[in-house]
């Protein structure tokens, strides 16, 4: 290793820069820790800028590039190392995860206007869609607009209250069904054989489609990729035979004050349609929401705090570890669902038993004089058999 370093040190700096411009981000970060000469070259923001633009073409769009280059003084290396690994859910390490400061009123630490989303979609290793979503369009930051009069204050307060209290959903705007620019010009299939099933198309989408959704805090420069890179599921939308719905996302442990179940799941939903023209794909929806482990949508207030926590979450570039975390989450979800259904079934049977017991008691009181007659004994025997059959002890 020392000989290799000495040999590299003897190479011309421009040649070293050209060599390092051909490696990926993990290799470039490793080189930076070898020696002082290579560290200077490996920290060249031009190299990291090229890597970012190559991996996420949305970073080359004017607003994103201005943010990374200007506001954070050319921190492309920091952005790459933040956005490349995926959010890792580790059941064993979740108890030691970084916690946000507790607030009595659960006030979100991040304003909706501080968030920037960079979305890139890839098909067969080629980027086919790059978009930037500034802020959260459904939210109104009343401090940003200045409250010029009482009417505006009332409207802003109402819209902000609606956003904070209702289910959160962040939609990427500007995607239209009739927009030819948003179609993938690569055909999904080379033949139109009648034997091709929807499973073939779903499998091909899982193999060929990738998505990146990077959330950036414009104030601090922190970034996080909320996608799973690969589709977690692909389903055919009924009754629209040519439409497919895919889901990406990740799992994040949170505090009990945010969600009692202590787990939040980011779900990125994409909807595409196969067109008749060369069987190309058109985008009709790309959106993100947050759910708890029971599948309930999280409101805007809690979602903002969860988004802020995601910026400081545990991550990993190891795809196997990431998928293992998702499997653990799904196992926990199934176990929790099973326990809930078991409790509900037991409660239903218990309530039924109580109702029948009350009915029997009232019937016994109403026929006090006949309880020892043959008719009364027959009625009580039948009710006893009924209680035994449907009661909680069956």
């Amino acid at each position: 290793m020392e000989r290799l370093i000495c040999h590299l040190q003897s190479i011309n700096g421009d040649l070293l820069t050209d060599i390092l411009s051909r490696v990926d981000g993990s290799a470039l970060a490793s080189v930076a820790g070898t020696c002082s000469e290579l560290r200077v070259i490996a920290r060249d923001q031009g190299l990291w800028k090229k890597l970012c633009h190559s991996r996420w073409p949305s970073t080359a769009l004017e607003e994103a590039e201005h943010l990374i280059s200007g506001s954070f003084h050319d921190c492309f290396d920091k952005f790459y190392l933040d956005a490349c690994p995926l959010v890792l859910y580790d059941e064993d390490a979740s108890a030691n995860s970084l916690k946000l400061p507790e607030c009595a009123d659960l006030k979100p630490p991040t304003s909706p206007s501080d968030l920037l989303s960079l979305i890139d979609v890839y098909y067969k290793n080629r980027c086919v869609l790059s978009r930037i979503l500034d802020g959260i369009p459904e939210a109104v930051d009343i401090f940003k607009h200045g409250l010029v009069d009482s009417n505006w204050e009332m409207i802003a307060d109402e819209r902000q209250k609606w956003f904070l209290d209702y289910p959160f959903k962040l939609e990427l705007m500007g995607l239209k069904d009739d927009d030819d620019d948003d179609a993938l010009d690569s055909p999904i299939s080379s033949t139109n054989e009648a034997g091709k099933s929807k499973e073939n198309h779903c499998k091909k989408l899982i193999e060929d489609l990738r998505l990146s959704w990077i959330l950036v805090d414009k104030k601090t420069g922190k970034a996080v990729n909320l996608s799973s890179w690969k589709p977690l599921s692909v389903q055919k939308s009924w009754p629209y035979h040519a439409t497919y719905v895919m889901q990406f996302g990740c799992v994040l442990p949170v505090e009990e004050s945010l969600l009692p179940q202590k787990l939040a799941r980011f779900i990125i939903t994409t909807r595409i349609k196969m067109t008749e023209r060369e069987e190309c794909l058109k985008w009709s929806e790309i959106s993100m929401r947050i759910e708890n482990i029971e599948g309930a949508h999280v409101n805007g207030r809690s979602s903002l705090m969860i988004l802020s926590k995601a910026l400081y979450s545990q991550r990993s570039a190891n795809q196997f570890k990431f998928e293992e975390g998702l499997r653990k989450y799904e196992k926990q979800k199934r176990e929790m669902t099973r326990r809930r259904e078991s409790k509900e079934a037991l409660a239903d049977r218990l309530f039924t038993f109580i109702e029948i017991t009350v009915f029997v008691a009232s019937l016994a009181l109403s026929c006090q004089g006949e309880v020892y007659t043959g008719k009364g004994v027959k009625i009580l025997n039948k009710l006893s058999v009924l209680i035994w059959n449907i009661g909680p002890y069956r």
Side-chain angles (χ1 to χ4, degrees):
M1 184 64 181
E2 293 180 356
R3 289 184 178 181
L4 177 61
I5 293 176
C6 293
H7 179 65
L8 290 175
Q9 289 174 344
S10 63
I11 299 177
N12 180 271
D14 293 336
L15 180 57
L16 274 178
T17 301
D18 183 66
I19 294 173
L20 293 181
S21 67
R22 304 172 189 274
V23 303
D24 59 16
S26 59
L28 191 59
S30 300
V31 169
T34 55
C35 63
S36 58
E37 289 80 1
L38 292 178
R39 185 180 303 115
V40 173
I41 299 176
R43 287 183 175 177
D44 181 0
Q45 292 302 309
L47 297 178
W48 290 101
K49 181 178 180 179
K50 182 180 178 181
L51 281 172
C52 288
H53 289 180
S54 174
R55 188 175 181 89
W56 307 290
S58 59
T59 59
L61 299 178
E62 182 178 357
E63 186 173 359
E65 186 165 3
H66 174 73
L67 177 69
I68 302 172
S69 299
S71 302
F72 307 122
H73 309 291
D74 284 334
C75 292
F76 282 96
D77 56 344
K78 179 178 177 294
F79 178 88
Y80 188 97
L81 297 176
D82 271 351
C84 188
L86 302 177
V87 175
L88 177 65
Y89 170 56
D90 187 346
E91 186 180 2
D92 300 326
S94 60
N96 300 322
S97 60
L98 181 63
K99 294 185 177 181
L100 292 174
E102 295 288 343
C103 300
D105 57 353
L106 292 181
K107 181 180 179 181
T110 301
S111 170
S113 60
D114 294 336
L115 300 176
L116 185 75
S117 296
L118 308 179
I119 300 100
D120 295 283
V121 182
Y122 312 81
Y123 185 66
K124 293 184 176 180
N125 298 321
R126 184 171 63 88
C127 187
V128 294
L129 183 70
S130 293
R131 294 288 189 274
I132 292 179
L133 183 59
D134 191 4
I136 301 177
E138 291 78 9
V140 174
D141 186 356
I142 59 176
F143 301 102
K144 179 179 178 182
H145 294 280
L147 304 180
V148 294
D149 54 39
S150 59
N151 290 333
W152 168 249
E153 182 176 359
M154 180 179 65
I155 295 172
D157 285 344
E158 287 297 321
R159 290 187 62 186
Q160 189 180 55
K161 184 178 184 300
W162 179 90
F163 168 76
L164 293 176
D165 294 339
Y166 280 74
F168 168 82
K169 187 176 183 181
L170 182 56
E171 294 183 324
L172 178 63
M173 308 301 292
L175 295 180
K176 307 295 183 182
D177 287 340
D178 56 353
D179 189 353
D180 291 336
D181 292 337
D182 292 333
L184 299 182
D185 54 13
S186 298
I188 188 174
S189 173
S190 58
T191 64
N192 291 320
E193 298 177 6
K196 295 296 182 180
S197 64
K198 68 177 184 180
E199 286 79 10
N200 293 337
H201 294 306
C202 292
K203 182 179 179 181
K204 196 164 186 64
L205 287 172
I206 291 177
E207 292 175 351
D208 296 336
L209 201 66
R210 300 291 181 264
L211 181 142
S212 172
W213 187 306
I214 301 174
L215 186 75
V216 184
D217 187 338
K218 292 189 287 187
K219 282 189 174 180
T220 64
K222 293 292 294 182
V224 61
N225 198 334
L226 300 175
S227 178
S228 53
W229 189 238
K230 300 179 181 179
L232 299 176
S233 66
V234 178
Q235 294 181 345
K236 201 167 186 179
S237 180
W238 180 264
Y240 306 103
H241 301 290
T243 302
Y244 293 85
V245 179
M246 290 157 290
Q247 288 189 346
F248 303 77
C250 61
V251 177
L252 180 71
V254 297
E255 290 79 18
E256 190 174 2
S257 58
L258 285 176
L259 296 178
Q261 304 86 0
K262 299 183 181 181
L263 285 174
R265 180 170 184 174
F266 293 89
I267 297 181
I268 301 171
T269 301
T270 65
R271 190 182 301 270
I272 62 174
K273 182 174 66 175
M274 289 182 58
T275 65
E276 296 179 357
R277 181 178 61 83
E278 296 181 355
E279 292 188 346
C280 290
L281 302 179
K282 279 188 177 180
W283 300 95
S284 59
E285 178 191 359
I286 298 180
S287 63
M288 179 179 66
R289 68 181 188 272
I290 303 176
E291 293 182 354
N292 62 20
I293 197 171
E294 295 179 343
H297 290 205
V298 180
N299 62 26
R301 177 181 288 102
S302 297
S303 294
L304 280 178
M305 299 194 69
I306 293 171
L307 289 171
S308 299
K309 182 176 177 60
L311 294 167
Y312 300 89
S313 60
Q314 182 182 4
R315 303 165 211 190
S316 175
N318 188 321
Q319 186 73 25
F320 175 80
K321 286 185 177 180
F322 174 80
E323 294 174 356
E324 180 65 23
L326 290 179
R327 284 193 288 269
K328 289 182 180 179
Y329 169 82
E330 292 296 338
K331 183 178 179 181
Q332 284 183 271
K333 184 176 181 178
R334 289 194 298 269
E335 181 64 23
M336 183 173 292
T337 301
R338 187 193 64 79
R339 290 199 301 265
R340 185 181 71 249
E341 292 176 349
S342 178
K343 289 180 180 179
E344 290 175 353
L346 180 61
D348 289 342
R349 297 172 68 183
L350 183 59
F351 284 133
T352 303
F353 175 77
I354 293 173
E355 289 176 355
I356 294 177
T357 302
V358 172
F359 173 72
V360 171
S362 62
L363 183 62
L365 291 175
S366 65
C367 56
Q368 290 178 356
E370 301 180 6
V371 72
Y372 294 107
T373 65
K375 182 178 180 181
V377 170
K378 289 180 180 179
I379 293 174
L380 291 177
N381 285 339
K382 289 182 179 180
L383 289 174
S384 299
V385 173
L386 179 63
I387 292 171
W388 178 260
N389 288 335
I390 67 175
Y393 305 107
R394 188 179 66 171

